[in-house]
Amino acid sequence: MEDIEDYYKGYDEWNRLERHKIEFEITKRYLNTYVTEGARVFDIGGGPGRYSIYLAKRGHKVVLLDLVQKHIDIAKIKASENNVKIEKYICDDALNISEYNLGKFDVVLIMGPLYHLIHEVDRKKVVEDALKFLKKEGILIASFISAYAPIIDEFKCSENIETADEVMKYLKDGINDAEAGFTSAYFIKPEEAKNFMESFNLKELSFAGIEGIGGLIENKLKELPSEQFDRVINILYELSNDPHIFGSSEHYLYVGKKVDNNANGEIFNVGEEASKKIDYEKDDDILKEL
């Protein structure tokens, strides 16, 4: 974990989502859909709290945990600037969440740890521990970095590509060495991510490719007038569940509902899918303040 802490000490994670507006906008639409009114949310590995603060401004109660003390410090400052209260800040490793007595949550976010943990046993532990914090019928939302993300990223500045092997290697084992850039990380194919989440007591409600076909021209799209950019986001959001174009995304988002096992060990659903009409007007007002 030391390489991850060192990387983020020198990286501006708060403003990353300003540079990657498609990721931010599409992800927020999924949060608006599945985080129901007045929810209590556990944001595990939530960085400097960009989504925590967004959700707090929408009236949700949020506990934020992150590995990096710098991120926690920034989150406290940003929460104050945005006049919102975060219920609790915790600086710790996602692998240690079982040590905390925080009560139950309506929603748990794991939008970072599952790609920073190279070993599957560690990724499984984080999800299993997270589920223990989740209420019956609670919602778990997890992010993954696509195995195609390094290829897409290289194509954005294709003049720097020296060999095909250097960008294709991630499709073989998914492992990123910190010396190659970023941190130690695990990049995943969509079918592997879906199968991984199916191994838990969860019913999939949605699986999305976040950037979709807009990712490669993101820099051009984010320069559009706001009204036109919103139209593009509407299109990308509608396309985000289309499995035919999952590979064009740099990030995947999984949404699942906690289910129980019956006496025979079979999984059954304990409720209807979460649903909440998206309040775009409220969303826009919050964005202007962030």
Side-chain angles (χ1 to χ4, degrees):
M1 292 298 173
E2 188 174 326
D3 71 293
I4 297 173
E5 291 182 78
D6 289 343
Y7 175 83
Y8 283 109
K9 284 177 183 177
Y11 184 79
D12 183 4
E13 177 65 16
W14 177 267
N15 284 314
R16 184 185 71 81
L17 291 173
E18 290 299 318
R19 298 189 296 274
H20 298 287
K21 289 185 176 181
I22 295 175
E23 177 190 347
F24 195 32
E25 294 301 321
I26 299 296
T27 301
K28 285 190 296 155
R29 292 200 180 189
Y30 278 97
L31 294 178
N32 294 347
T33 301
Y34 290 102
V35 182
T36 54
E37 187 172 351
R40 186 167 186 250
V41 181
F42 190 8
D43 189 0
I44 301 171
R50 199 67 191 263
Y51 291 116
S52 287
I53 292 169
Y54 172 74
L55 290 170
K57 287 185 74 70
R58 292 182 65 85
H60 305 296
K61 299 175 182 177
V62 185
V63 172
L64 170 63
L65 177 144
D66 196 76
L67 175 68
V68 182
Q69 183 62 50
K70 172 189 170 183
H71 287 167
I72 297 297
D73 294 340
I74 291 172
K76 290 178 180 179
I77 293 169
K78 294 297 185 181
S80 177
E81 289 176 353
N82 285 277
N83 197 32
V84 297
K85 181 180 179 181
I86 299 298
E87 181 181 324
K88 188 177 183 66
Y89 299 92
I90 304 170
C91 184
D92 205 346
D93 192 324
L95 289 168
N96 298 331
I97 57 174
S98 63
E99 299 176 8
Y100 293 90
N101 182 14
L102 300 171
K104 294 290 186 179
F105 294 84
D106 303 288
V107 179
V108 172
L109 310 181
I110 315 175
M111 296 168 62
L114 297 184
Y115 51 79
H116 281 306
L117 296 169
I118 292 176
H119 303 294
E120 184 175 7
V121 64
D122 290 334
R123 297 193 294 273
K124 283 188 172 182
K125 173 175 169 50
V126 169
V127 177
E128 287 168 353
D129 289 347
L131 285 171
K132 294 173 185 176
F133 287 98
L134 203 54
K135 293 179 181 179
K136 180 179 179 181
E137 303 183 18
I139 300 296
L140 186 142
I141 302 175
S143 292
F144 299 87
I145 292 182
S146 163
Y148 300 94
I151 302 172
I152 296 167
D153 196 47
E154 288 289 341
F155 278 5
K156 290 178 181 178
C157 48
S158 54
E159 67 275 7
N160 296 329
I161 298 176
E162 295 182 2
T163 67
D165 287 345
E166 69 178 295
V167 296
M168 296 296 287
K169 63 182 179 181
Y170 298 101
L171 298 181
K172 297 177 182 178
D173 62 14
I175 296 176
N176 183 67
D177 189 325
E179 293 182 3
F182 191 44
T183 70
S184 54
Y186 185 72
F187 303 150
I188 198 167
K189 293 181 180 178
E191 62 272 19
E192 182 185 357
K194 286 170 68 69
N195 290 338
F196 174 75
M197 297 308 295
E198 284 176 4
S199 68
F200 304 101
N201 289 348
L202 289 162
K203 177 185 177 182
E204 181 183 307
L205 302 181
S206 187
F207 187 89
I210 295 300
E211 298 86 357
I213 56 178
L216 270 174
I217 56 170
E218 179 177 41
N219 289 335
K220 179 179 179 181
L221 294 177
K222 69 183 184 183
E223 296 302 322
L224 291 171
S226 59
E227 186 175 342
Q228 187 63 29
F229 181 74
D230 288 344
R231 293 192 189 106
V232 170
I233 293 299
N234 289 340
I235 294 169
L236 293 176
Y237 179 70
E238 291 299 320
L239 290 173
S240 62
N241 290 128
D242 186 345
H244 295 94
I245 56 174
F246 282 162
S248 64
S249 287
E250 295 179 83
H251 295 84
Y252 304 128
L253 192 73
Y254 169 91
V255 183
K257 171 174 281 190
K258 185 177 181 180
V259 296
D260 288 342
N261 287 334
N262 64 18
N264 297 319
E266 298 172 338
I267 293 176
F268 66 97
N269 189 19
V270 292
E272 297 299 321
E273 291 187 6
S275 63
K276 181 175 183 288
K277 184 178 179 181
I278 301 172
D279 186 345
Y280 291 108
E281 184 176 345
K282 183 177 182 181
D283 195 29
D284 289 342
D285 290 340
I286 292 170
L287 270 179
K288 291 174 184 176
E289 298 176 30
L290 280 180

